[in-house]
Structure formats: C-alpha cells, structure tokens
Coordinates of all heavy atoms in Angstrom, one line a residue:
M21 N -19.5 -12.6 -18.5 CA -20.0 -11.2 -18.3 C -19.3 -10.3 -19.3 O -18.1 -10.4 -19.5 CB -19.6 -10.8 -16.8 CG -19.9 -9.4 -16.5 SD -19.4 -9.0 -14.8 CE -20.3 -7.5 -14.6
S22 N -20.1 -9.4 -19.8 CA -19.5 -8.5 -20.8 C -20.0 -7.1 -20.4 O -21.0 -6.9 -19.7 CB -19.8 -8.8 -22.2 OG -21.2 -8.7 -22.4
V23 N -19.2 -6.1 -20.9 CA -19.5 -4.7 -20.6 C -20.0 -4.0 -21.8 O -19.4 -4.2 -22.9 CB -18.2 -4.0 -20.0 CG1 -18.4 -2.6 -19.8 CG2 -17.8 -4.7 -18.7
D24 N -21.0 -3.2 -21.7 CA -21.4 -2.4 -22.9 C -21.0 -1.0 -22.7 O -20.3 -0.6 -21.8 CB -23.0 -2.5 -23.0 CG -23.7 -1.9 -21.8 OD1 -23.1 -1.5 -20.8 OD2 -25.0 -1.9 -21.9
A25 N -21.3 -0.1 -23.7 CA -20.8 1.3 -23.7 C -21.3 2.1 -22.5 O -20.6 2.9 -22.0 CB -21.2 1.9 -25.0
D26 N -22.6 1.8 -22.2 CA -23.1 2.6 -21.0 C -22.4 2.2 -19.7 O -22.1 3.1 -18.9 CB -24.6 2.2 -20.8 CG -25.5 2.9 -21.9 OD1 -25.0 3.9 -22.5 OD2 -26.5 2.3 -22.2
T27 N -22.0 1.0 -19.6 CA -21.3 0.6 -18.4 C -19.9 1.2 -18.4 O -19.4 1.6 -17.3 CB -21.2 -1.0 -18.3 OG1 -22.5 -1.5 -18.4 CG2 -20.5 -1.4 -17.0
V28 N -19.2 1.3 -19.5 CA -17.9 1.9 -19.6 C -18.0 3.4 -19.2 O -17.2 3.9 -18.4 CB -17.4 1.8 -21.1 CG1 -16.1 2.7 -21.2 CG2 -17.1 0.4 -21.4
R29 N -19.1 4.1 -19.7 CA -19.3 5.5 -19.3 C -19.5 5.6 -17.8 O -19.0 6.5 -17.1 CB -20.4 6.1 -20.0 CG -20.2 6.3 -21.5 CD -21.3 7.0 -22.2 NE -21.3 6.9 -23.6 CZ -21.9 5.9 -24.3 NH1 -22.7 5.1 -23.7 NH2 -21.8 5.8 -25.6
R30 N -20.3 4.6 -17.2 CA -20.5 4.7 -15.8 C -19.3 4.4 -15.0 O -19.0 5.1 -14.0 CB -21.6 3.6 -15.4 CG -22.0 3.6 -14.0 CD -23.3 2.8 -13.8 NE -23.7 3.0 -12.4 CZ -23.5 2.1 -11.4 NH1 -22.9 1.0 -11.7 NH2 -23.9 2.3 -10.2
I31 N -18.5 3.4 -15.4 CA -17.2 3.2 -14.7 C -16.3 4.4 -14.8 O -15.7 4.8 -13.8 CB -16.5 2.0 -15.4 CG1 -17.3 0.7 -15.1 CG2 -15.0 1.8 -14.9 CD1 -16.8 -0.5 -15.9
G32 N -16.2 5.1 -15.9 CA -15.5 6.3 -16.0 C -15.9 7.4 -15.1 O -15.1 8.1 -14.5
R33 N -17.3 7.5 -15.0 CA -17.8 8.5 -14.1 C -17.5 8.2 -12.7 O -17.1 9.1 -11.9 CB -19.3 8.6 -14.3 CG -20.0 9.7 -13.5 CD -21.5 9.9 -13.8 NE -22.2 8.6 -13.7 CZ -22.6 8.1 -12.5 NH1 -22.3 8.7 -11.4 NH2 -23.3 6.9 -12.5
L34 N -17.7 6.9 -12.3 CA -17.4 6.5 -10.9 C -15.9 6.7 -10.6 O -15.5 7.0 -9.4 CB -17.8 5.1 -10.7 CG -19.3 4.8 -10.7 CD1 -19.6 3.3 -10.6 CD2 -20.0 5.5 -9.5
A35 N -15.0 6.4 -11.5 CA -13.6 6.6 -11.3 C -13.1 8.0 -11.5 O -11.9 8.3 -11.4 CB -12.8 5.6 -12.2
R36 N -14.0 8.9 -11.9 CA -13.7 10.3 -12.2 C -12.7 10.4 -13.3 O -11.7 11.1 -13.2 CB -13.3 11.0 -10.9 CG -14.4 11.0 -9.9 CD -14.2 12.1 -8.9 NE -15.0 12.0 -7.7 CZ -16.3 12.2 -7.6 NH1 -17.0 12.4 -8.7 NH2 -16.9 12.1 -6.4
I37 N -12.8 9.6 -14.3 CA -12.0 9.6 -15.5 C -12.8 10.1 -16.7 O -13.9 9.6 -17.0 CB -11.4 8.2 -15.8 CG1 -10.6 7.6 -14.6 CG2 -10.6 8.2 -17.1 CD1 -10.3 6.2 -14.8
R38 N -12.3 11.1 -17.4 CA -13.0 11.6 -18.5 C -12.7 10.7 -19.7 O -11.6 10.4 -20.1 CB -12.5 13.0 -18.9 CG -13.2 13.6 -20.0 CD -12.8 15.1 -20.3 NE -12.7 15.7 -19.0 CZ -11.9 16.8 -18.7 NH1 -11.2 17.3 -19.6 NH2 -11.9 17.3 -17.5
I39 N -13.8 10.1 -20.2 CA -13.7 9.2 -21.4 C -14.5 9.8 -22.5 O -15.7 10.0 -22.4 CB -14.3 7.8 -21.0 CG1 -13.5 7.2 -19.9 CG2 -14.3 6.9 -22.2 CD1 -14.0 5.8 -19.4
T40 N -13.8 10.1 -23.6 CA -14.5 10.7 -24.7 C -15.3 9.6 -25.5 O -15.0 8.4 -25.3 CB -13.5 11.3 -25.7 OG1 -12.7 10.3 -26.2 CG2 -12.7 12.4 -25.0
E41 N -16.2 10.0 -26.3 CA -17.0 9.0 -27.1 C -16.1 8.1 -28.0 O -16.5 7.0 -28.2 CB -18.1 9.7 -27.9 CG -19.2 10.3 -27.1 CD -19.9 9.2 -26.3 OE1 -20.2 8.1 -26.8 OE2 -20.2 9.4 -25.1
E42 N -15.0 8.7 -28.5 CA -14.1 7.9 -29.3 C -13.4 6.8 -28.5 O -13.0 5.8 -29.1 CB -13.1 8.8 -30.0 CG -13.7 9.9 -30.9 CD -14.2 11.1 -30.2 OE1 -13.7 11.5 -29.1 OE2 -15.2 11.7 -30.7
E43 N -13.2 7.1 -27.2 CA -12.5 6.1 -26.4 C -13.4 5.0 -25.8 O -12.9 4.0 -25.4 CB -11.8 6.8 -25.2 CG -10.7 7.8 -25.6 CD -10.2 8.6 -24.5 OE1 -11.1 9.0 -23.6 OE2 -9.0 8.9 -24.4
V44 N -14.7 5.2 -25.8 CA -15.6 4.2 -25.2 C -15.4 2.8 -25.8 O -15.3 1.9 -25.1 CB -17.1 4.7 -25.3 CG1 -18.0 3.6 -24.9 CG2 -17.3 6.0 -24.5
A45 N -15.4 2.8 -27.1 CA -15.3 1.4 -27.8 C -14.0 0.8 -27.4 O -13.9 -0.5 -27.2 CB -15.4 1.6 -29.3
A46 N -12.9 1.5 -27.4 CA -11.6 0.9 -27.0 C -11.6 0.4 -25.6 O -11.1 -0.7 -25.3 CB -10.5 1.9 -27.2
F47 N -12.1 1.2 -24.7 CA -12.2 0.8 -23.3 C -13.1 -0.4 -23.1 O -12.9 -1.3 -22.3 CB -12.7 1.9 -22.4 CG -11.6 2.9 -22.0 CD1 -11.6 4.2 -22.4 CD2 -10.4 2.5 -21.4 CE1 -10.6 5.1 -22.0 CE2 -9.4 3.3 -21.0 CZ -9.5 4.7 -21.4
E48 N -14.2 -0.4 -23.9 CA -15.1 -1.6 -23.8 C -14.4 -2.9 -24.2 O -14.6 -3.9 -23.5 CB -16.3 -1.3 -24.8 CG -17.4 -2.3 -24.8 CD -18.5 -2.0 -25.7 OE1 -18.7 -0.8 -26.1 OE2 -19.3 -2.9 -26.0
G49 N -13.6 -2.8 -25.3 CA -12.9 -4.0 -25.7 C -11.8 -4.4 -24.6 O -11.7 -5.6 -24.3
E50 N -11.1 -3.4 -24.0 CA -10.1 -3.7 -23.0 C -10.7 -4.4 -21.8 O -10.2 -5.3 -21.2 CB -9.3 -2.5 -22.7 CG -8.4 -2.0 -23.8 CD -7.6 -0.8 -23.4 OE1 -7.4 -0.6 -22.2 OE2 -7.2 0.0 -24.3
I51 N -11.8 -3.8 -21.3 CA -12.5 -4.3 -20.1 C -13.0 -5.7 -20.3 O -12.9 -6.5 -19.5 CB -13.6 -3.3 -19.6 CG1 -12.9 -2.0 -19.1 CG2 -14.4 -3.9 -18.5 CD1 -13.9 -0.9 -18.8
N52 N -13.6 -5.9 -21.5 CA -14.1 -7.2 -21.8 C -13.0 -8.3 -21.9 O -13.2 -9.4 -21.5 CB -15.0 -7.2 -23.1 CG -16.3 -6.6 -22.9 OD1 -16.9 -6.8 -21.8 ND2 -16.8 -5.9 -23.9
A53 N -11.8 -7.9 -22.4 CA -10.7 -8.8 -22.5 C -10.2 -9.1 -21.1 O -9.9 -10.3 -20.8 CB -9.6 -8.2 -23.3
I54 N -10.2 -8.1 -20.2 CA -9.8 -8.4 -18.8 C -10.8 -9.3 -18.1 O -10.4 -10.3 -17.4 CB -9.7 -7.1 -18.0 CG1 -8.5 -6.2 -18.6 CG2 -9.5 -7.3 -16.5 CD1 -8.5 -4.8 -18.1
L55 N -12.1 -9.0 -18.3 CA -13.1 -9.9 -17.7 C -13.0 -11.3 -18.2 O -13.3 -12.3 -17.5 CB -14.5 -9.3 -17.9 CG -14.8 -8.0 -17.1 CD1 -16.1 -7.4 -17.4 CD2 -14.6 -8.2 -15.6
G56 N -12.7 -11.5 -19.5 CA -12.6 -12.8 -20.1 C -11.4 -13.5 -19.5 O -11.5 -14.7 -19.2
F57 N -10.3 -12.9 -19.2 CA -9.2 -13.5 -18.6 C -9.5 -13.9 -17.2 O -9.2 -15.0 -16.7 CB -8.0 -12.5 -18.6 CG -6.8 -13.1 -17.9 CD1 -6.1 -14.1 -18.5 CD2 -6.3 -12.7 -16.7 CE1 -4.9 -14.7 -17.9 CE2 -5.3 -13.2 -16.1 CZ -4.5 -14.2 -16.7
V58 N -10.3 -13.1 -16.4 CA -10.7 -13.4 -15.1 C -11.6 -14.7 -15.1 O -11.5 -15.6 -14.2 CB -11.3 -12.2 -14.4 CG1 -12.0 -12.6 -13.1 CG2 -10.3 -11.1 -14.2
E59 N -12.5 -14.8 -16.1 CA -13.3 -15.9 -16.2 C -12.5 -17.2 -16.5 O -12.8 -18.3 -16.0 CB -14.3 -15.7 -17.3 CG -15.4 -14.8 -16.9 CD -16.4 -14.5 -18.0 OE1 -16.3 -15.2 -19.1 OE2 -17.3 -13.7 -17.8
Q60 N -11.4 -17.1 -17.3 CA -10.5 -18.2 -17.5 C -9.9 -18.6 -16.2 O -9.7 -19.8 -16.0 CB -9.4 -17.8 -18.5 CG -9.9 -17.8 -20.0 CD -8.8 -17.4 -20.9 OE1 -7.6 -17.2 -20.5 NE2 -9.1 -17.4 -22.2
L61 N -9.5 -17.7 -15.4 CA -8.9 -18.1 -14.1 C -9.8 -18.9 -13.2 O -9.4 -19.8 -12.5 CB -8.4 -16.8 -13.3 CG -7.2 -16.1 -13.9 CD1 -7.0 -14.8 -13.1 CD2 -6.0 -16.9 -14.0
G62 N -11.1 -18.6 -13.3 CA -12.1 -19.4 -12.6 C -12.2 -20.8 -13.0 O -12.7 -21.7 -12.3
E63 N -11.7 -21.1 -14.2 CA -11.8 -22.5 -14.7 C -10.6 -23.3 -14.3 O -10.6 -24.6 -14.5 CB -11.9 -22.5 -16.2 CG -13.1 -21.8 -16.8 CD -13.1 -21.6 -18.3 OE1 -12.1 -22.0 -18.9 OE2 -14.0 -21.0 -18.8
V64 N -9.6 -22.7 -13.7 CA -8.4 -23.5 -13.3 C -8.7 -24.3 -12.1 O -9.3 -23.9 -11.1 CB -7.2 -22.5 -13.0 CG1 -6.0 -23.2 -12.4 CG2 -6.9 -21.6 -14.2
D65 N -8.2 -25.6 -12.2 CA -8.4 -26.6 -11.1 C -7.4 -26.3 -10.0 O -6.2 -26.5 -10.2 CB -8.3 -28.0 -11.6 CG -8.5 -29.0 -10.5 OD1 -9.2 -28.7 -9.5 OD2 -8.0 -30.1 -10.7
I66 N -7.8 -25.9 -8.8 CA -6.9 -25.6 -7.7 C -7.1 -26.5 -6.6 O -6.6 -26.3 -5.5 CB -7.1 -24.1 -7.3 CG1 -8.5 -23.8 -6.8 CG2 -6.6 -23.1 -8.3 CD1 -8.7 -22.5 -6.1
E67 N -7.7 -27.7 -6.9 CA -8.0 -28.7 -5.8 C -6.6 -29.2 -5.3 O -5.8 -29.6 -6.1 CB -8.8 -29.8 -6.4 CG -9.3 -30.8 -5.4 CD -10.3 -30.2 -4.5 OE1 -11.1 -29.4 -5.0 OE2 -10.4 -30.6 -3.3
G68 N -6.5 -29.1 -4.0 CA -5.2 -29.6 -3.4 C -4.1 -28.6 -3.4 O -3.0 -29.0 -2.9
V69 N -4.3 -27.5 -3.9 CA -3.2 -26.5 -3.9 C -3.3 -25.6 -2.7 O -4.3 -25.1 -2.4 CB -3.3 -25.5 -5.2 CG1 -2.2 -24.5 -5.1 CG2 -3.2 -26.4 -6.4
E70 N -2.2 -25.6 -1.9 CA -2.2 -24.9 -0.6 C -2.0 -23.4 -0.9 O -1.3 -23.0 -1.8 CB -1.0 -25.4 0.2 CG -1.2 -26.8 0.7 CD -2.3 -26.9 1.8 OE1 -2.4 -26.0 2.6 OE2 -3.0 -27.9 1.7
P71 N -2.8 -22.6 -0.1 CA -2.6 -21.1 -0.3 C -1.1 -20.8 0.1 O -0.5 -21.4 1.0 CB -3.6 -20.5 0.7 CG -4.4 -21.6 1.1 CD -3.8 -22.9 0.8
M72 N -0.6 -19.7 -0.5 CA 0.8 -19.3 -0.2 C 0.9 -17.8 -0.1 O 0.1 -17.1 -0.7 CB 1.8 -19.9 -1.2 CG 1.5 -19.5 -2.6 SD 2.6 -20.4 -3.7 CE 2.9 -19.2 -4.9
T73 N 1.8 -17.4 0.7 CA 2.0 -15.9 0.8 C 3.3 -15.5 0.1 O 3.6 -14.3 0.0 CB 2.2 -15.5 2.3 OG1 3.3 -16.3 2.8 CG2 0.9 -15.9 3.0
S74 N 4.1 -16.4 -0.5 CA 5.3 -16.1 -1.2 C 5.6 -17.2 -2.2 O 5.1 -18.3 -2.1 CB 6.5 -16.0 -0.2 OG 7.7 -15.8 -0.9
V75 N 6.3 -16.8 -3.2 CA 6.6 -17.8 -4.2 C 7.7 -18.8 -3.8 O 7.9 -19.9 -4.4 CB 7.1 -17.2 -5.6 CG1 6.0 -16.4 -6.2 CG2 8.3 -16.3 -5.3
T76 N 8.4 -18.4 -2.7 CA 9.4 -19.4 -2.1 C 9.0 -19.7 -0.7 O 8.5 -18.8 0.0 CB 10.8 -18.7 -2.1 OG1 10.8 -17.5 -1.3 CG2 11.3 -18.5 -3.5
P77 N 9.1 -20.9 -0.2 CA 8.7 -21.3 1.1 C 9.6 -20.5 2.1 O 10.8 -20.5 2.0 CB 8.9 -22.8 1.2 CG 9.7 -23.2 0.0 CD 9.6 -22.1 -1.0
M78 N 9.0 -19.9 3.1 CA 9.8 -19.2 4.1 C 9.0 -19.1 5.4 O 7.7 -19.1 5.4 CB 10.1 -17.8 3.6 CG 9.0 -16.9 3.2 SD 9.3 -15.3 2.4 CE 10.8 -14.8 3.0
Q79 N 9.7 -18.9 6.5 CA 9.1 -18.7 7.8 C 9.3 -17.3 8.2 O 10.4 -16.7 7.9 CB 9.7 -19.6 8.8 CG 9.3 -21.1 8.7 CD 7.9 -21.3 9.2 OE1 7.1 -20.4 9.6 NE2 7.4 -22.5 9.2
L80 N 8.3 -16.6 8.8 CA 8.5 -15.3 9.3 C 9.4 -15.3 10.5 O 9.2 -16.2 11.4 CB 7.2 -14.7 9.6 CG 6.2 -14.4 8.4 CD1 4.9 -13.9 8.9 CD2 6.8 -13.4 7.5
R81 N 10.3 -14.4 10.6 CA 11.1 -14.3 11.7 C 10.3 -13.7 12.9 O 9.7 -12.7 12.7 CB 12.4 -13.5 11.5 CG 13.4 -14.2 10.6 CD 14.6 -13.4 10.3 NE 14.3 -12.8 9.0 CZ 14.8 -11.6 8.5 NH1 15.6 -11.0 9.2 NH2 14.4 -11.2 7.4
R82 N 10.4 -14.2 14.0 CA 9.6 -13.7 15.1 C 10.6 -13.3 16.2 O 11.7 -13.8 16.4 CB 8.7 -14.8 15.7 CG 7.7 -15.2 14.6 CD 6.5 -16.0 15.2 NE 5.6 -16.4 14.2 CZ 4.5 -15.8 13.9 NH1 4.2 -14.7 14.5 NH2 3.7 -16.3 13.0
R83 N 10.2 -12.3 17.0 CA 11.0 -11.9 18.2 C 10.0 -11.7 19.3 O 8.8 -11.5 19.2 CB 11.7 -10.6 17.8 CG 10.8 -9.4 17.5 CD 11.6 -8.1 17.3 NE 10.7 -7.1 16.8 CZ 10.0 -6.3 17.6 NH1 10.0 -6.5 18.9 NH2 9.2 -5.3 17.0
D84 N 10.6 -11.7 20.5 CA 9.8 -11.4 21.7 C 9.3 -10.0 21.7 O 10.0 -9.1 21.3 CB 10.6 -11.7 23.0 CG 11.0 -13.1 23.1 OD1 10.3 -14.0 22.6 OD2 12.1 -13.4 23.7
D85 N 8.1 -9.8 22.2 CA 7.5 -8.5 22.3 C 7.9 -7.9 23.6 O 7.1 -7.9 24.6 CB 6.0 -8.6 22.2 CG 5.3 -7.3 22.0 OD1 6.0 -6.3 21.7 OD2 4.1 -7.2 22.2
T86 N 9.1 -7.3 23.7 CA 9.6 -6.7 24.9 C 10.0 -5.3 24.6 O 10.4 -4.9 23.5 CB 10.8 -7.5 25.4 OG1 11.8 -7.5 24.4 CG2 10.5 -8.9 25.8
V87 N 9.9 -4.5 25.6 CA 10.4 -3.1 25.5 C 11.9 -3.0 25.5 O 12.5 -3.5 26.4 CB 9.8 -2.2 26.7 CG1 10.3 -0.8 26.6 CG2 8.3 -2.2 26.6
T88 N 12.5 -2.5 24.5 CA 13.9 -2.4 24.4 C 14.5 -1.0 24.4 O 15.6 -0.8 24.3 CB 14.4 -3.1 23.1 OG1 13.8 -2.4 22.0 CG2 14.0 -4.5 23.0
D89 N 13.6 0.0 24.6 CA 14.0 1.3 24.5 C 13.0 2.2 25.4 O 11.9 1.7 25.7 CB 14.0 1.8 23.1 CG 14.9 3.0 22.9 OD1 15.5 3.5 23.9 OD2 15.0 3.5 21.8
G90 N 13.4 3.4 25.6 CA 12.4 4.2 26.3 C 13.0 4.8 27.6 O 14.2 4.5 28.0
G91 N 12.2 5.5 28.4 CA 12.7 6.0 29.7 C 13.4 7.3 29.6 O 14.0 7.7 30.6
Y92 N 13.3 8.0 28.5 CA 13.9 9.3 28.4 C 13.0 10.3 27.7 O 13.4 11.0 26.8 CB 15.3 9.2 27.7 CG 15.3 8.5 26.4 CD1 15.0 9.1 25.2 CD2 15.6 7.1 26.4 CE1 15.0 8.4 24.0 CE2 15.7 6.4 25.2 CZ 15.4 7.1 24.0 OH 15.4 6.4 22.8
A93 N 11.8 10.3 28.2 CA 10.8 11.3 27.6 C 11.2 12.7 27.8 O 10.9 13.5 26.9 CB 9.4 11.0 28.3
E94 N 11.9 13.0 28.9 CA 12.3 14.4 29.1 C 13.3 14.9 28.0 O 13.2 16.0 27.5 CB 13.1 14.6 30.4 CG 12.2 14.3 31.6 CD 12.2 12.8 32.0 OE1 13.0 12.0 31.4 OE2 11.3 12.4 32.7
Q95 N 14.1 14.0 27.5 CA 15.1 14.3 26.4 C 14.3 14.5 25.1 O 14.7 15.4 24.2 CB 16.1 13.3 26.2 CG 17.0 13.1 27.4 CD 18.0 12.0 27.2 OE1 18.0 11.3 26.2 NE2 18.8 11.7 28.3
I96 N 13.2 13.7 24.9 CA 12.5 13.8 23.6 C 11.7 15.2 23.5 O 11.7 15.8 22.5 CB 11.5 12.6 23.5 CG1 12.3 11.3 23.4 CG2 10.5 12.8 22.4 CD1 11.4 10.1 23.5
V97 N 11.1 15.6 24.6 CA 10.4 16.9 24.5 C 11.2 18.1 24.9 O 10.7 19.2 24.9 CB 9.1 16.8 25.5 CG1 8.2 15.7 25.0 CG2 9.5 16.6 26.9
A98 N 12.5 17.9 25.1 CA 13.4 19.0 25.5 C 13.4 20.1 24.4 O 13.4 21.3 24.8 CB 14.8 18.5 25.7
N99 N 13.3 19.8 23.2 CA 13.3 20.8 22.1 C 12.0 21.3 21.7 O 11.8 22.1 20.8 CB 14.1 20.3 20.9 CG 15.6 20.1 21.2 OD1 16.1 20.9 21.9 ND2 16.2 19.1 20.5
A100 N 10.9 20.8 22.3 CA 9.6 21.2 21.9 C 9.3 22.6 22.4 O 9.7 23.0 23.5 CB 8.5 20.3 22.5
P101 N 8.6 23.4 21.6 CA 8.3 24.8 22.0 C 7.5 24.8 23.3 O 7.7 25.6 24.2 CB 7.5 25.4 20.9 CG 7.8 24.5 19.7 CD 8.1 23.2 20.3
I102 N 6.5 23.9 23.4 CA 5.7 23.8 24.6 C 5.5 22.4 24.9 O 5.1 21.6 24.0 CB 4.3 24.5 24.4 CG1 4.4 25.9 23.9 CG2 3.5 24.5 25.7 CD1 3.1 26.5 23.4
S103 N 5.6 22.0 26.2 CA 5.3 20.6 26.6 C 4.8 20.6 28.0 O 5.1 21.6 28.8 CB 6.6 19.7 26.5 OG 7.6 20.2 27.4
E104 N 4.1 19.6 28.4 CA 3.6 19.5 29.7 C 3.5 18.0 30.1 O 2.9 17.2 29.3 CB 2.1 20.1 29.8 CG 1.5 20.1 31.1 CD 0.2 20.8 31.1 OE1 0.1 21.9 30.7 OE2 -0.8 20.2 31.6
D105 N 4.0 17.6 31.2 CA 4.0 16.2 31.7 C 4.6 15.3 30.6 O 4.1 14.2 30.4 CB 2.7 15.8 32.1 CG 2.1 16.6 33.3 OD1 3.0 17.0 34.2 OD2 0.9 16.8 33.4
N106 N 5.7 15.7 29.9 CA 6.3 15.0 28.9 C 5.4 14.7 27.7 O 5.6 13.7 27.0 CB 6.9 13.6 29.4 CG 8.0 13.9 30.4 OD1 8.7 14.9 30.3 ND2 8.1 13.0 31.4
F107 N 4.5 15.5 27.4 CA 3.6 15.5 26.2 C 3.8 16.7 25.4 O 4.0 17.8 26.0 CB 2.1 15.4 26.6 CG 1.8 14.0 27.2 CD1 1.6 13.9 28.6 CD2 1.5 12.9 26.4 CE1 1.3 12.7 29.1 CE2 1.2 11.7 27.0 CZ 1.1 11.6 28.3
F108 N 3.8 16.6 24.1 CA 3.9 17.8 23.2 C 2.6 18.6 23.3 O 1.5 18.0 23.3 CB 4.1 17.4 21.8 CG 5.4 16.8 21.5 CD1 5.6 15.4 21.4 CD2 6.6 17.6 21.4 CE1 6.8 14.9 21.2 CE2 7.8 17.0 21.1 CZ 8.0 15.7 21.0
M109 N 2.7 19.9 23.5 CA 1.5 20.7 23.5 C 1.4 21.4 22.1 O 2.4 21.9 21.6 CB 1.6 21.8 24.5 CG 1.7 21.2 26.0 SD 0.3 20.3 26.5 CE -0.9 21.6 26.7
V110 N 0.2 21.4 21.5 CA 0.0 22.0 20.2 C -1.2 22.9 20.3 O -2.1 22.8 21.1 CB -0.3 20.9 19.1 CG1 1.0 20.0 18.9 CG2 -1.5 20.1 19.4
P111 N -1.2 23.9 19.4 CA -2.4 24.9 19.4 C -3.7 24.1 19.0 O -3.6 23.2 18.2 CB -2.0 25.9 18.4 CG -0.6 25.7 18.0 CD -0.2 24.3 18.4
K112 N -4.8 24.6 19.6 CA -6.1 24.0 19.2 C -6.4 24.4 17.8 O -6.3 25.6 17.4 CB -7.1 24.6 20.2 CG -8.5 24.0 20.0 CD -9.4 24.5 21.1 CE -10.8 23.9 20.9 NZ -11.7 24.4 22.0
V113 N -6.8 23.4 17.0 CA -7.1 23.7 15.6 C -8.6 23.5 15.3 O -9.1 23.9 14.2 CB -6.3 22.9 14.6 CG1 -4.8 23.3 14.7 CG2 -6.4 21.4 14.9
V114 N -9.3 22.8 16.2 CA -10.7 22.6 15.9 C -11.5 23.2 17.1 O -11.2 23.1 18.2 CB -11.0 21.0 15.9 CG1 -12.5 20.8 15.8 CG2 -10.2 20.4 14.9
E115 N -12.5 24.0 16.7 CA -13.3 24.7 17.7 C -14.4 23.8 18.2 O -15.0 23.0 17.5 CB -14.0 25.9 17.1 CG -12.9 27.0 16.7 CD -12.2 27.5 18.0 OE1 -12.8 27.7 19.0 OE2 -11.0 27.8 17.8

C-alpha cells in the first residue's frame, strides 16, 4: 500500500494539521516508509510465539476485594458548604 499526495492532504485535513504544498512530498515519503515497515512486520513468522504483556515474565499481584475503609461519611462532608444525607450538594448547572 502506498500513499499519494491527495491522501496526504486528506490525512492532514482529518488530523487538523496544516500541511503546505512544500511539505506534502516529504510527508508522502515518510508515510510510505512507515507503511513499508508495517508490511515488513506482516512477513515475520510468529507461529508458536505466545502473546505477552511484558518483556519479562511476571504474575500480577492479586488481593481480596474487601472493603478496608469507610464508615465516616459525616467527616467527609463536614467541610462541604452544603450537604444532605451525607451527599455533596452542588448548584444546578443544566436547565
């Protein structure tokens, strides 16, 4: 796949990037080089390669999903200008 000058202009417009006529040729070459590299990656044999989430093998640390805090809502809303039933009250902003 290759990109022409019209496609470069369209990409610039979609990305809301101002591209001058002098820059179009340079961007065209850069984008085509990137696409060529991506095509090379498609040729790599990955048969038998396990997907990985990190470059080093590791296990995620897990913890029990238990409540370890809370029970003092009155203290949290104590400094609020307006509160009701332990909820912050704010002015209406949408009609």
Side-chain angles (χ1 to χ4, degrees):
M21 174 182 198
S22 65
V23 174
D24 61 357
D26 290 334
T27 306
V28 170
R29 288 186 200 95
R30 184 166 187 259
I31 291 170
R33 185 177 51 80
L34 290 172
R36 300 198 191 295
I37 300 171
R38 185 175 313 153
I39 299 175
T40 64
E41 288 302 316
E42 296 80 30
E43 296 173 320
V44 170
F47 280 120
E48 184 177 344
E50 288 181 28
I51 293 172
N52 283 325
I54 293 168
L55 292 175
F57 179 72
V58 171
E59 286 178 4
Q60 284 180 357
L61 290 177
E63 297 170 3
V64 175
D65 181 23
I66 57 169
E67 190 68 34
V69 177
E70 292 291 321
M72 56 188 214
T73 58
S74 175
V75 294
T76 59
M78 60 188 328
Q79 287 285 4
L80 294 176
R81 287 177 267 156
R82 300 195 182 261
R83 62 177 172 81
D84 293 332
D85 189 16
T86 58
V87 176
T88 57
D89 202 359
Y92 48 88
E94 296 85 13
Q95 294 174 5
I96 293 172
V97 297
N99 290 328
I102 307 170
S103 65
E104 183 177 308
D105 295 328
N106 294 328
F107 291 99
F108 291 100
M109 300 295 291
V110 295
K112 184 177 180 178
V113 293
V114 177
E115 294 295 327

